[in-house]
Structures are given as structure tokens and as C-alpha cells.
């Protein structure tokens, strides 16, 4: 492979298909492994390359998650489509050495489906599997790392054996700091030349210089959740628009709390409107980009001794003087080029996640930025694959944040030029849209988008309060705020062609959001079909009026804790029953001594369930928590088939599998 006119015979291409960023994190870790083995390494999303480029590299490793109904992430579908071209010969990828690692959730029927079918297709095209495919499960007691760490350790050994280094050359040791592809530097803007002179030579070397114990400002004491308890006044992020590509500007019209003030959970119904037409359907999601709160940002700035530089203009610069920009990775933070007057403070507020749970690579990096040997040793322990359970107990179990880790290891002083490498990206969060049909338009004709959002706030096993970075931001948004938002197709793959089929919707808690969207959409379809029916009848001289039988039956199973506290849209279901064929069955788990859940409703209504799904070839949708609920509902459906269809266990399971293959069993959980 030739890069910048030079021949490189030891190259690695690390690709990812990622929806929420987990697969990208895995790919970046694999990239560091390859780089330490002295491979010239490129890390990229799948859609950023042409599949013909795979043969240009010594080895290819792909990390990919599964979304929806066994689908590939959006940034992998162009690549996948290219592999499905019929004219490709069977030896198209015969010069490719590769392996894959899948990220999935075993509560879904099509567990790690994307990785499996991508791996299989690459083999079909002649590529050589040089190491067995790996798979991670989000339900693993130790999370994704429980599977990834042992797999990656063995992969490293295999790569070193299969592609040995020349004599006298060793892998880059783990205690050697890899230089970043991009660092930050001061940006020259009109009027700041004198300031630049004063700081010339200060922090000019992007390579790490150990902290020297300089003076520190006084630290304010953060609240238990990492922010100001009141979330008012100056501790609310500014509401300026972020420069998000291909975004739609939406105005927050309503931010209503649906649950009582004394209820354990704060659940909001949000209404956005936009003068720009918005096209979306049931099951689609809206991405909102959060911001960090000023108190948290100020705390980190003081903790790291960045006060003097926090409000100066900065920019990202590559660390290579001669680079092929097509092969070189993009800057770590997207959407920055059009952003005026970027500062360290605005970067931390808008683009970097300082309250995320740190990954293993974070500890490996910050261990280089302390002179305290005790702290360094402790940080490096967390990077040891043998201590994956200890890392899990320190980070994931108590949901300990990056900010808290840096506060506990106070000797760590990260150079501000490195923060784009050390801190993860503050990614947008996706929320299922709950509006559909006539609710997609406001009275004045503007586009309307409604969300049902549970504000994440809870107490951990170490008795500390945690808040979701995005829902905390949402809860503080005043009505009238404008946001740049993105739409994305959901994984339920709902279409109007299914209108005549009966549907069973199972959506406990906020899982009812896409179900509500679907119900309103099906009502709109019924009205449109009725009008078409009347027009045809009128043209034929017949009476087009009468009971509408063009839309399938609609059954909703909804579950929550209390009838009076979190029965969302209770009055609305009554209104909708008068307009369409809708049945609503409810399970209130805390309103009686014996707890009742949605799976119990399925068993109670087994005759109805069997009739709609078996006799009328209906569709079932399951949305909500990805914990035990999906598997419990699946088991209840199998029992319904056994009881009402007089099937044995094997036949009932086979029928449910046939529903999945036909696209009549759809699940979207989070």
C-alpha cells in the first residue's frame, strides 16, 4: 500500500458500523492495538470507504453493532449494499485477510445478526478469515468488555504470530504514549496577536510534558450528581444552536411533566414545531444533542488548571506534516469547521462528554499524565484485562463519571491540547417519536414532533445521584428554545402496506411512545382509505358510507406502576377508541398485592392474541426496556400459541420464528 508516495507493507484497516458509538469505541481500541504492533493503521466507518479498498491492507478488522430487526447501522449500509451487487465474482475479496467483532443484545431475537451476515458475505466473496469472529452481548454481567477483552487479547497474539515483526523490532510497549492524530492549538484571530506573543512557547509542544505541581485554583464543591441541584440561573447551558449538518431547526413549544411531582420518576411530554417540513413515520427517532452544564465544565477546568486558556480561540491541527487527507482520520469532533470562536470552554460544553462512564482506554491514557506513582499504578490496574471485573465494579456498576474519576485522581493533569483524544465525543441521544397521523401537523400548518422522555435520575449502589446527560439537559430547556435536531428511520420498518393487518402493540412505560405514533398513523390511514372507498363508490353510483373495515384491529398492551401516576395518555386512549377499532389492556404493577406485567396481559388475552397473530396473520410490536421484558413477552406469546393453537413447545417456537422471518414480530428496545 502506498501512502504519501511511500510503500508500507504492514497496514491495518479497522472499520466500524455504529449507531450509538459503542462499535466506534471498540474500533478505536482495536486501532490502538494494531498501531502498537506497528501496523500503519486507519480507523474509519464502513461507509467512508469503497469495498475495493479492502485488498489494499494487510489485515482488515470490522466492529459492527446490530440495530432494529437484525439491521446494519446507518453508517454501514452503503458498504453492505456494495457487497450485495450480483455481478461481483466469487473471488472479489480473495486478497483480503479479515475478522469481525459483533456488538449485540441477546434480548433481541436476531442477536448479532449484522455481524454474522456481514462476515458470511465477506467470506462468500473469497476473503480469508484469519481469526474467529467475536461477539459481545450487552446483557453480559460485565458489559461489552466481558467478551471484547479476552477476544482482543487473543487477537493481538494471533496478529503478532501471523504477521511477525522484522528482527530487532518490537511492539510499542503499553507504557509508551501513542501520539494523537490531532491536537489543539491556539487559533489566530484578528486582534489577539499581542496575546499570542505573550503565550508564545507556552504549551507549544503537543507531546506530553509531566505536570509540575503548579498552582491550582480553589475547587467548588459539585452536587452529588455532578451539577448544581437547582439547575437555574447561570448553571443552565446557553441555548445557542449547534452547527449540526443536515439538521432541522425545531422550537420547543411544550415541556410538560406527566407524572406527579412526588412520583419517583419525572416523565416529560415534549412538543417541538418547525417551519421546515418534517417527514417521519411510526418507529422513527429524533436525535437531540445535549450540552454539559456550566458548573461541571468550570469544575473540570479548575481541576485541570486550564483557567488561563479556557476562553481563548482554539482549533484542531493534524500532527502529521504531510498527510493524505483521504486516508487520514477526520478531527475527533465533528461539525467544528463552521463553528466561529471555538474555545476550550465551548468545546467542553458542547462537544466532549465529561460525565460519561470511562472506558478502559481512558485510564490507559490518563495514567501518562500523573507523576504520582500510586495513582499511576492504580490507573494501570484498570487497564489490565485480568481485572475486567474490578474495572466494572469501579465504573459501570456505580455509574462513576469521567469528572469523578479525575476528581479522585487529582494528581492527573491532562494537557488541554490532548482533550480531543482523552475525552469521548458528546453524542446525540435518540428518542422515539410519539406523534403520528394528524398530530404531525400543528394548527398553523407547521411540522410537529412529540416525544415521551423519562428524565434519568437515580441513586447508585454507592448512594450517589446520577443524571442522564441528555435528559438532564432536556428537563432544563425552557419553552421557546430552538434546537438543531436530526431524524432517523427506526428499526420497526412500519409501512402503510401493513394497514389492513391487525396489530398487537406491547409497550410498557415510555415504550408506548412509538405505539402511540403508530395508532395515530393507522387512524390517519383509515380515514384516507375511507375517503378513497367513498370516492370509488360515488363514481360507481353507490353509497360509500358505512362502517370502515379497511383497517386491521389495534390492540395495545400497556404497563406501568400506578394508574394515577404513570398511565400515559389515559384520556387519549378513550378518545381514540371512539374513532377506531382500538382495545387497550393495562397492567399496573404496584396497584395491588400481586404484581401484574404486560406478559401477564398477553396470557390473559391469549385467545385474542392467537386469533390476530395466527388466524389473521397479524403483526406484533414490542418496545420498551431491553432487560427482562422482551424475553418474558416472547415466552408469553409461545405459551399463547401452545394453549390456543394446541401446539407443542417446538411447534409454538417454530411459529414465532416464522413470524420473525416474515417481518411480523418486531422489537425495538433500549
Amino acid at each position: 500500500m502506498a501512502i504519501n508516495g511511500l510503500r508500507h507493507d504492514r497496514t491495518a484497516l479497522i472499520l466500524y458500523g455504529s449507531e450509538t458509538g459503542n462499535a466506534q469505541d471498540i474500533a478505536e481500541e482495536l486501532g490502538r492495538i494494531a498501531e502498537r504492533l506497528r501496523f500503519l493503521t486507519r480507523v474509519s466507518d464502513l461507509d467512508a470507504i469503497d469495498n475495493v479498498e479492502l485488498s489494499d491492507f494487510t489485515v482488515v478488522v470490522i466492529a459492527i453493532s446490530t440495530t432494529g430487526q437484525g439491521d446494519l447501522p446507518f453508517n454501514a449500509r452503503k458498504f453492505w449494499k456494495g457487497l450485495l451487487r450480483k455481478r461481483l465474482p466469487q473471488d472479489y475479496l480473495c486478497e483480503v485477510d479479515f475478522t469481525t467483532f459483533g456488538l449485540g443484545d441477546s434480548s433481541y431475537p436476531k442477536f448479532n445478526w449484522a455481524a454474522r451476515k456481514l462476515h458470511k458475505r465477506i467470506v462468500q466473496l473469497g476473503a480469508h478469515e484469519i481469526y474467529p469472529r467475536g461477539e459481545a452481548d450487552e446483557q453480559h454481567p460485565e458489559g461489552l468488555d466481558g467478551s471484547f477483552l479476552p477476544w482482543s487479547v487473543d487477537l493481538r497474539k494471533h496478529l503478532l504470530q501471523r504477521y511477525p515483526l522484522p528482527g530487532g523490532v518490537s511492539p510499542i510497549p503499553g507504557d509508551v504514549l501513542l501520539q494523537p492524530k490531532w491536537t489543539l492549538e491556539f487559533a489566530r484571530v484578528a486582534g489577539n496577536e499581542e496575546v499570542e506573543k505573550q503565550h508564545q512557547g507556552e504549551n507549544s509542544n503537543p507531546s506530553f510534558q509531566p505536570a509540575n505541581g503548579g498552582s491550582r485554583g480553589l475547587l467548588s464543591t459539585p452536587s452529588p450528581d455532578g451539577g448544581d441541584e437547582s439547575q437555574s440561573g447561570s448553571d443552565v447551558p446557553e441555548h445557542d444552536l449547534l452547527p449540526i449538518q443536515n439538521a432541522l431547526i425545531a422550537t420547543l413549544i411544550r415541556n410538560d411533566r406527566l407524572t406527579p411531582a412526588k412520583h419517583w420518576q419525572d416523565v416529560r411530554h415534549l412538543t417541538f414545531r418547525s417551519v421546515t417540513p418534517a417527514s417521519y413515520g411510526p418507529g422513527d427517532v429524533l436525535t437531540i444533542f445535549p450540552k454539559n452544564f456550566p458548573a461541571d465544565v468550570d469544575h473540570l477546568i479548575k481541576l485541570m488548571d486550564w483557567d488561563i486558556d479556557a476562553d481563548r480561540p482554539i482549533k484542531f491541527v493534524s500532527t502529521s506534516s504531510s498527510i493524505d487527507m483521504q486516508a487520514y482520520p477526520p478531527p475527533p469532533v465533528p461539525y467544528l469547521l463552521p463553528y466561529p470562536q471555538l474555545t476550550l470552554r465551548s468545546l467542553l460544553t458542547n462537544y466532549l462528554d465529561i460525565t460519561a462512564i470511562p472506558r478502559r482506554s481512558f485510564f490507559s491514557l490518563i495514567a501518562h499524565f500523573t507523576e504520582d506513582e500510586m495513582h499511576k499504578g492504580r490507573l494501570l490496574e484498570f487497564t489490565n484485562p485480568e481485572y475486567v471485573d474490578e474495572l466494572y465494579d469501579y465504573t459501570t456498576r456505580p455509574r462513576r463519571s469521567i469528572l469523578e474519576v479525575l476528581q479522585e485522581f487529582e494528581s492527573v493533569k491532562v494537557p488541554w491540547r490532548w482533550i480531543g483524544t482523552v475525552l469521548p465525543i458528546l453524542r446525540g441521544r435518540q428518542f422515539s417519536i410519539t406523534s403520528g397521523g394528524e398530530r404531525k401537523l400543528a394548527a398553523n400548518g407547521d411540522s410537529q414532533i412529540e416525544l415521551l422522555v423519562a428524565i434519568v435520575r437515580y441513586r447508585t449502589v454507592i448512594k450517589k445521584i446520577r443524571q442522564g446527560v441528555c435528559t438532564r439537559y432536556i428537563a432544563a430547556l425552557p419553552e421557546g428554545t430552538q434546537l438543531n435536531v436530526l431524524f432517523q428511520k427506526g428499526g420497526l420498518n412500519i409501512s402503510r402496506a401493513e394497514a389492513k393487518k391487525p396489530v398487537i402493540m406491547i409497550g410498557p412505560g415510555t415504550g408506548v411512545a412509538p405505539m402511540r405514533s403508530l395508532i395515530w398513523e393507522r387512524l390517519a390511514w383509515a380515514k384516507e382509505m375511507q375517503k378513497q372507498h367513498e370516492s370509488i363508490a360515488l363514481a360507481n353510483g353507490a353509497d360509500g358510507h358505512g362502517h370502515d373495515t379497511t383497517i386491521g384491529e389495534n390492540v395495545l398492551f400497556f404497563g406501568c406502576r400506578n394508574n394515577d401516576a404513570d398511565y400515559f395518555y389515559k384520556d387519549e386512549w378513550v378518545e381514540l377508541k371512539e374513532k377506531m377499532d382500538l382495545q387497550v389492556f393495562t397492567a399496573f404493577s404496584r396497584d395491588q398485592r400481586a404484581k401484574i406485567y404486560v406478559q401477564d396481559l398477553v396470557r390473559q388475552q391469549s385467545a385474542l392474541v392467537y386469533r390476530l397473530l395466527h388466524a389473521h396473520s397479524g403483526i406484533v410490536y414490542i418496545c420498551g426496556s431491553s432487560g427482562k421484558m422482551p424475553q418474558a413477552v416472547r415466552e408469553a406469546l409461545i405459551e399463547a400459541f401452545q394453549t390456543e393453537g394446541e401446539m407443542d413447545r417446538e411447534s409454538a417456537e417454530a411459529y414465532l420464528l416464522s413470524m420473525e422471518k416474515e417481518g411480523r414480530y418486531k422489537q425495538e428496545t433500549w
Side-chain angles (χ1 to χ4, degrees):
M1 179 181 182
I3 296 180
N4 296 332
L6 300 175
R7 178 71 188 176
H8 297 273
D9 294 319
R10 188 179 180 82
T11 57
L13 177 62
I14 314 297
L15 298 171
Y16 60 86
S18 185
E19 201 74 32
T20 62
N22 287 330
Q24 182 176 350
D25 290 341
I26 292 292
E28 289 171 352
E29 176 65 17
L30 291 169
R32 287 185 285 269
I33 291 173
E35 193 171 346
R36 290 191 181 278
L37 296 180
R38 301 192 183 274
F39 285 91
L40 185 65
T41 305
R42 177 182 175 187
V43 179
S44 172
D45 65 89
L46 282 157
D47 279 356
I49 72 159
D50 192 309
N51 49 45
V52 72
E53 297 179 64
L54 298 182
S55 58
D56 293 339
F57 293 82
T58 307
V59 62
V60 178
V61 184
I62 302 174
I64 186 167
S65 60
T66 297
T67 67
Q69 315 309 308
D71 302 320
L72 277 76
F74 275 86
N75 62 355
R77 294 182 184 180
K78 176 185 173 184
F79 178 87
W80 174 242
K81 186 177 180 180
L83 291 181
L84 296 179
R85 289 175 293 174
K86 293 182 179 180
R87 66 176 183 272
L88 295 180
Q90 292 184 349
D91 61 350
Y92 180 65
L93 299 178
C94 64
E95 297 181 359
V96 175
D97 287 355
F98 88 107
T99 189
T100 58
F101 187 82
L103 291 79
D105 185 332
S106 57
S107 69
Y108 277 78
K110 295 184 176 180
F111 172 62
N112 265 313
W113 208 257
R116 294 175 185 179
K117 63 186 180 183
L118 178 62
H119 191 103
K120 180 179 179 181
R121 179 56 178 163
I122 293 174
V123 170
Q124 287 176 345
L125 293 173
H128 307 287
E129 180 193 62
I130 55 116
Y131 187 71
R133 182 185 73 245
E135 292 185 349
D137 182 4
E138 288 190 5
Q139 302 298 321
H140 190 285
E142 292 164 353
L144 298 175
D145 276 349
S147 303
F148 173 68
L149 287 183
W151 183 86
S152 63
V153 168
D154 288 342
L155 173 65
R156 181 189 180 279
K157 295 177 182 176
H158 184 81
L159 290 175
L160 201 53
Q161 293 170 358
R162 188 179 181 92
Y163 310 103
L165 288 163
V169 180
S170 301
I172 300 173
D175 60 353
V176 173
L177 182 61
L178 295 174
Q179 292 299 303
K181 301 296 188 295
W182 296 84
T183 59
L184 288 162
E185 71 174 25
F186 295 124
R188 291 184 177 274
V189 295
N192 79 333
E193 291 84 356
E194 196 63 36
V195 177
E196 288 294 336
K197 289 180 181 178
Q198 295 174 12
H199 288 78
Q200 193 167 13
E202 180 181 311
N203 294 324
S204 60
N205 187 352
S207 298
F208 166 61
Q209 298 295 326
N212 59 8
S215 62
R216 295 177 55 193
L218 294 175
L219 296 183
S220 59
T221 303
S223 65
D225 56 12
D228 184 356
E229 288 285 355
S230 64
Q231 294 187 3
S232 61
S234 62
D235 193 40
V236 175
E238 293 184 4
H239 303 304
D240 53 323
L241 286 171
L242 296 178
I244 308 299
Q245 294 176 352
N246 304 316
L248 176 142
I249 298 177
T251 302
L252 179 62
I253 303 300
R254 299 292 300 270
N255 188 347
D256 298 324
R257 175 165 181 162
L258 300 185
T259 51
K262 293 183 179 180
H263 188 59
W264 71 278
Q265 187 173 45
D266 178 359
V267 179
R268 304 294 179 95
H269 180 88
L270 307 175
T271 302
F272 292 94
R273 290 181 187 169
S274 175
V275 295
T276 304
S279 177
Y280 63 88
D284 290 352
V285 297
L286 189 77
T287 300
I288 294 178
F289 295 85
K291 298 181 181 182
N292 290 309
F293 278 64
D296 294 340
V297 174
D298 291 343
H299 184 56
L300 180 60
I301 288 173
K302 288 181 171 63
L303 196 65
M304 293 292 107
D305 297 335
W306 294 334
D307 308 66
I308 191 172
D309 297 319
D311 298 300
R312 297 182 60 196
I314 58 173
K315 63 180 179 180
F316 277 100
V317 293
S318 67
T319 55
S320 175
S321 59
S322 177
I323 58 174
D324 176 2
M325 290 308 296
Q326 289 187 336
Y328 203 76
V333 181
Y335 315 130
L336 282 183
L337 292 180
Y339 195 88
Q341 296 294 308
L342 180 70
T343 65
L344 182 60
R345 190 182 305 278
S346 63
L347 186 63
L348 291 170
T349 300
N350 300 327
Y351 296 104
L352 298 177
D353 198 342
I354 63 178
T355 61
I357 298 172
R359 293 187 60 84
R360 191 167 62 104
S361 58
F362 172 79
F363 293 94
S364 177
L365 275 171
I366 67 172
H368 293 282
F369 303 128
T370 177
E371 293 182 326
D372 186 311
E373 292 302 320
M374 183 178 296
H375 280 179
K376 183 187 292 287
R378 180 61 172 158
L379 290 168
L380 291 177
E381 281 184 10
F382 289 133
T383 71
N384 190 331
E386 295 181 3
Y387 298 130
V388 60
D389 54 342
E390 190 170 343
L391 175 63
Y392 184 85
D393 288 341
Y394 180 72
T395 57
T396 305
R397 191 181 302 279
R399 317 299 291 179
R400 186 175 268 108
S401 72
I402 285 174
L403 186 57
E404 288 176 311
V405 171
L406 291 174
Q407 184 175 354
E408 291 179 12
F409 291 89
E410 60 180 359
S411 68
V412 172
K413 299 297 175 191
V414 180
W416 63 264
R417 296 175 183 273
W418 279 72
I419 62 171
T421 299
V422 174
L423 298 178
I425 303 302
L426 184 55
R427 295 186 172 95
R429 268 52 171 185
Q430 297 178 340
F431 298 94
S432 292
I433 297 172
T434 192
S435 48
E438 65 185 48
R439 300 198 67 87
K440 295 196 291 187
L441 284 178
N444 64 356
D446 286 351
S447 297
Q448 181 167 280
I449 311 102
E450 297 175 315
L451 303 178
L452 180 66
V453 177
I455 306 302
V456 179
R457 181 183 171 91
Y458 58 94
R459 195 175 297 274
T460 70
V461 294
I462 58 175
K463 307 303 181 183
K464 287 199 173 183
I465 293 174
R466 298 286 183 257
Q467 294 193 74
V469 62
C470 193
T471 59
R472 178 188 178 196
Y473 174 64
I474 286 173
L477 288 177
E479 294 174 356
T481 302
Q482 286 192 322
L483 300 176
N484 266 329
V485 298
L486 293 176
F487 289 91
Q488 185 168 310
K489 297 296 294 182
L492 295 178
N493 301 321
I494 297 171
S495 71
R496 181 171 170 170
E498 302 168 345
K500 293 187 178 181
K501 288 182 175 293
V503 294
I504 292 177
M505 298 162 282
I506 303 172
T510 56
V512 78
M515 307 294 94
R516 177 180 183 261
S517 175
L518 177 57
I519 290 169
W520 278 104
E521 196 78 2
R522 285 173 68 86
L523 175 60
W525 291 341
K527 290 180 178 179
E528 292 171 6
M529 295 166 75
Q530 183 66 26
K531 286 182 180 179
Q532 293 174 358
H533 175 71
E534 291 173 359
S535 297
I536 294 172
L538 186 61
N540 294 331
D543 182 4
H545 296 282
H547 182 65
D548 175 30
T549 59
T550 59
I551 200 82
E553 293 180 56
N554 307 275
V555 175
L556 172 65
F557 292 115
F558 174 75
C560 63
R561 290 198 173 196
N562 309 105
N563 185 359
D564 295 331
D566 51 355
Y567 184 7
F568 307 129
Y569 309 120
K570 174 167 56 175
D571 296 336
E572 195 171 290
W573 303 138
V574 176
E575 173 191 345
L576 285 165
K577 285 179 183 180
E578 298 176 355
K579 298 179 178 180
M580 63 190 300
D581 187 352
L582 172 66
Q583 297 183 72
V584 179
F585 299 96
T586 55
F588 305 116
S589 62
R590 302 298 195 275
D591 279 353
Q592 61 286 311
R593 184 182 297 273
K595 295 180 180 179
I596 301 176
Y597 300 105
V598 286
Q599 59 265 31
D600 301 312
L601 299 178
V602 172
R603 292 187 178 93
Q604 293 171 10
Q605 301 297 326
S606 60
L608 173 64
V609 169
Y610 182 77
R611 176 175 66 83
L612 296 184
L613 297 183
H614 190 273
H616 297 284
S617 300
I619 304 170
V620 62
Y621 299 99
I622 302 171
C623 296
S625 171
S626 62
K628 298 179 180 179
M629 183 273 295
Q631 186 58 42
V633 168
R634 187 181 181 88
E635 183 65 26
L637 289 171
I638 290 173
E639 291 179 17
F641 297 151
Q642 288 181 272
T643 302
E644 304 299 332
E646 298 181 353
M647 302 179 186
D648 57 25
R649 175 80 188 192
E650 184 177 354
S651 298
E653 290 180 346
Y655 184 74
L656 192 58
L657 287 173
S658 71
M659 287 181 59
E660 293 173 10
K661 293 178 180 179
E662 296 168 7
R664 296 195 296 118
Y665 180 98
K666 302 182 182 183
Q667 178 180 322
E668 188 77 280
T669 53
W670 49 85

